[in-house]
Amino acid sequence: MNVSMIDPLDTVPQAVRLQGLHKGFGGQPALNGLDLAVPQGAVYVLVGPNGAGKTTSLKILLDLVRPDEGRAEVFGVPVAGEGPWVRAQIGFVADSHAFGMPQVSVGVLLDHHRRYFEAWDEGYEQLLTERLEIDRKAVFGKLSKGQARRVQLLMALAHRPALLLMDEPTDGLDPLARDDFSQLLADHLAESPTTVLLSTHLVHEVEGLGDHLGVIRRGKLIAQLPREELNRRLHRLRAVTPEGWTPPQAWASATIHRRTSGREVDWILAGDPQEISAATTHSGATVLSLSPLNLEEASKALLRMEVSS
């Protein structure tokens, strides 16, 4: 696959910059030269298969894990050596529902957590407590996964951080609560200028919010584009082909994914839609539809993409 799907995003101010990150655990590589950039004010959706390095990347940004090689920056500040300052700028929802103080009440946990953030907004905390239906008297370690996740969301949002890092934030929430989360995040972004780096397998839940997409596989970035570029570059083509049909030569380097059923083709191609349509017609096929991909379709297609090393 010769078509580059990586925009370095180096012409705009960046909230997050990862450069040449390598990290291994027990001799197994988790990150393999990861380069990634999140523009300030973006809602950046990060996708990848299990073990691709998503969680490791977020922990490096929090200075909870140190890379073997490479550099991580938050708002231009190197994470290494500035961990306390960096963490004060961040709201974090971990992939785990556990917390280090399972025996205390939710109220005590929130009181403890609040002390680490000078910008903590007690009025907003109260609003989130009511909206998320949080019981401050409940023992945190006895909460269900969904209840614990609601508390974690409050802890991440109440100080109105400049950067939100979210690792599978809707894990443990029921379908209605997942919808409520999407609306809560949208309302938060409308009121509080925030950059979001969100790792998820459920891209459809942030379809209306995500404006950048990053795809990592085996610890390396394989795609990174703003949404408008995804809409411009990636298209699903459905066409009916004549017997003995041969795909246009131009498609050889532009094909992201293809599926054929009889004489009907359903291909995802990178390129100009007018050129794709013209090449299809010239090849003797009849175009049934040609349309840009939504965020979830784009993420799945890019994960299937073959990338030359």
Side-chain angles (χ1 to χ4, degrees):
M1 172 70 198
N2 299 323
V3 177
S4 174
M5 284 290 144
I6 297 178
D7 184 334
L9 302 175
D10 54 5
T11 61
V12 294
Q14 296 171 351
V16 168
R17 183 68 178 175
L18 305 179
Q19 294 176 294
L21 288 188
H22 288 263
K23 181 63 183 177
F25 297 98
Q28 297 298 317
L31 298 177
N32 185 25
L34 178 65
D35 295 310
L36 185 148
V38 180
Q40 291 186 26
V43 179
Y44 188 112
V45 180
L46 181 65
V47 300
N50 290 335
K54 303 184 298 296
T55 296
T56 299
S57 302
L58 298 185
K59 288 183 176 179
I60 286 174
L61 284 169
L62 288 158
D63 201 31
L64 301 178
V65 170
R66 293 285 175 89
D68 299 327
E69 296 179 37
R71 181 182 177 91
E73 295 181 353
V74 170
F75 298 111
V77 175
V79 171
E82 296 292 341
W85 181 89
V86 167
R87 287 190 290 274
Q89 315 309 310
I90 293 174
F92 180 48
V93 178
D95 60 335
S96 170
H97 301 84
F99 203 79
M101 302 169 64
Q103 75 281 3
V104 304
S105 70
V106 170
V108 170
L109 178 61
L110 292 176
D111 290 343
H112 172 80
H113 189 71
R114 183 190 305 121
R115 296 190 182 103
Y116 291 94
F117 300 97
E118 292 183 3
W120 190 273
D121 185 333
E122 294 191 20
Y124 193 33
E125 175 192 346
Q126 181 60 36
L127 178 65
L128 290 171
T129 299
E130 296 172 359
R131 184 164 177 177
L132 292 168
E133 299 180 343
I134 290 171
D135 181 1
R136 293 178 58 91
K137 296 180 181 179
V139 176
F140 184 80
K142 294 184 178 180
L143 297 178
S144 68
K145 287 176 64 175
Q147 291 169 332
R149 183 56 97 203
R150 290 169 183 264
V151 175
Q152 289 175 314
L153 288 170
L154 185 155
M155 293 166 67
L157 296 175
H159 61 291
R160 301 185 186 271
L163 174 63
L164 268 173
L165 302 180
M166 296 184 153
D167 197 354
E168 302 293 344
T170 60
D171 183 33
L173 299 180
D174 60 53
L176 287 178
R178 289 174 187 270
D179 288 344
D180 291 343
F181 161 77
S182 297
Q183 187 58 57
L184 175 65
L185 183 56
D187 292 345
H188 178 85
L189 295 176
E191 297 176 3
S192 305
T194 307
T195 302
V196 181
L197 174 54
L198 188 153
S199 169
T200 182
H201 289 102
L202 303 173
V203 179
H204 67 276
E205 293 184 347
V206 290
E207 185 69 45
L209 295 173
D211 53 27
H212 286 72
L213 178 66
V215 183
I216 63 174
R217 195 166 63 198
R218 294 190 291 274
K220 191 171 184 177
L221 188 75
I222 64 171
Q224 176 176 262
L225 289 170
R227 188 163 190 158
E228 60 268 22
E229 277 296 298
L230 286 169
N231 290 341
R232 189 178 68 83
R233 295 194 197 188
L234 292 183
H235 301 273
R236 165 170 269 117
L237 169 72
R238 292 181 59 245
V240 175
T241 64
E243 190 171 347
W245 177 77
T246 300
Q249 185 62 37
W251 288 11
S253 62
T255 302
I256 302 291
H257 179 64
R258 60 183 179 180
R259 183 172 56 204
T260 302
S261 177
R263 289 169 56 184
E264 185 170 314
V265 299
D266 183 353
W267 287 29
I268 294 175
L269 300 166
D272 180 86
Q274 294 182 339
E275 293 178 1
I276 292 172
S277 182
T280 304
T281 302
H282 187 263
S283 73
T286 301
V287 175
L288 298 177
S289 63
L290 182 62
S291 57
L293 308 184
N294 63 34
L295 203 62
E296 182 176 28
E297 290 170 333
S299 67
K300 290 179 179 178
L302 292 168
L303 280 170
R304 293 188 181 106
M305 181 175 67
E306 295 182 7
V307 182
S308 57
S309 57

